[in-house]
Amino acid sequence: VLGADDFAVLSRSAVQRMRVLEALLTDLAGPQRLVREGVLPPALLFSLPAFRASTVGTAPAKWLVHYALDVVRDASGVWRVMHDATDAPSGLGYALMQRAVLARLLPDGMRHSGAAPISAQADRLRRALTALAPTDRPSPRVVVFTSGPSHPSYVEHSYMASRLGYHLVENADLVMREGHLWLRALDGLEPIDVVYRRVDD
């Protein structure tokens, strides 16, 4: 359990770190100033297994919509980041699930504990994902993409899809036609505007 002061420092730091990572991804997929100016050696960038040269020149509205980090406090009391999760970060769904269960089991305890509310996070995530859809879509279709029940975080994927009001899809549910992604539905194929990818790359 973290006090409000510690949480305020961590949350400000996480936002700052996410902005730095967003700027880094934007540069590496765009002008690559960091490579041209020698800050990042080209051999390092192009040898990364996760780097996709095909992303160079693409400019989505946002690279990072959902971000998580693992932190520890060292012996001197300073917080240290151990891991940035930009690919398929877990945790939000579990936190929302646990909070919902606690609110049902211990409603008075939750009310009097002073715990910071987190339910609005799902709404913020939904708005951020919807904002990535093409602007000509009045009611965009967003799906949560999972590798299926064998994934260790499948329970979270399923919960988040339900909480966000999106379809939970796997490979077999999707079709690529004429450069567009479609959802197999009972009535035929339905266009997909945004994929909330929950599979590790």
Side-chain angles (χ1 to χ4, degrees):
V1 177
L2 291 176
D5 291 343
D6 277 336
F7 186 77
V9 168
L10 287 173
S11 64
R12 282 194 309 270
S13 301
V15 168
Q16 182 184 45
R17 196 169 179 96
M18 185 175 179
R19 286 182 179 143
V20 167
L21 291 169
E22 177 73 26
L24 177 68
L25 290 168
T26 300
D27 178 65
L28 295 179
Q32 295 188 343
R33 285 188 306 269
L34 294 172
V35 173
R36 284 199 324 268
E37 293 171 9
V39 176
L40 182 68
L44 175 64
L45 174 64
F46 297 112
S47 68
L48 293 172
F51 179 71
R52 303 284 184 261
S54 60
T55 63
V56 175
T58 58
K62 210 162 183 45
W63 284 99
L64 298 176
V65 175
H66 187 183
Y67 164 72
L69 66 161
D70 294 330
V71 295
V72 296
R73 182 177 264 167
D74 67 18
S76 65
V78 175
W79 290 101
R80 304 282 182 193
V81 175
M82 301 302 292
H83 174 74
D84 291 294
T86 58
D87 194 25
S90 293
L92 178 59
Y94 290 126
L96 290 167
M97 241 187 311
Q98 291 167 359
R99 193 61 74 88
V101 169
L102 282 173
R104 285 185 188 155
L105 294 176
L106 306 167
D108 293 336
M110 285 299 295
R111 250 192 316 276
H112 300 301
S113 70
I118 62 169
S119 61
Q121 298 307 317
D123 298 329
R124 287 187 182 114
L125 179 58
R126 185 185 313 106
R127 284 193 302 273
L129 290 167
T130 302
L132 295 175
T135 54
D136 62 343
R137 300 272 198 240
S139 186
R141 170 168 278 108
V142 182
V143 297
V144 177
F145 181 44
T146 180
S147 55
S150 62
H151 192 284
S153 297
Y154 181 75
V155 170
E156 182 184 38
H157 303 170
S158 178
Y159 179 81
M160 286 302 290
S162 174
R163 178 71 171 77
L164 295 169
Y166 299 152
H167 289 285
L168 182 66
V169 301
E170 299 177 38
N171 282 338
D173 301 315
L174 307 174
V175 176
M176 278 298 289
R177 293 248 173 98
E178 300 173 6
H180 296 285
L181 188 62
W182 300 81
L183 173 66
R184 293 180 199 267
L186 294 175
D187 298 336
L189 298 178
E190 299 177 2
I192 295 174
D193 300 301
V194 178
V195 177
Y196 179 35
R197 192 174 55 83
R198 301 303 315 206
V199 296
D200 297 320
D201 197 353

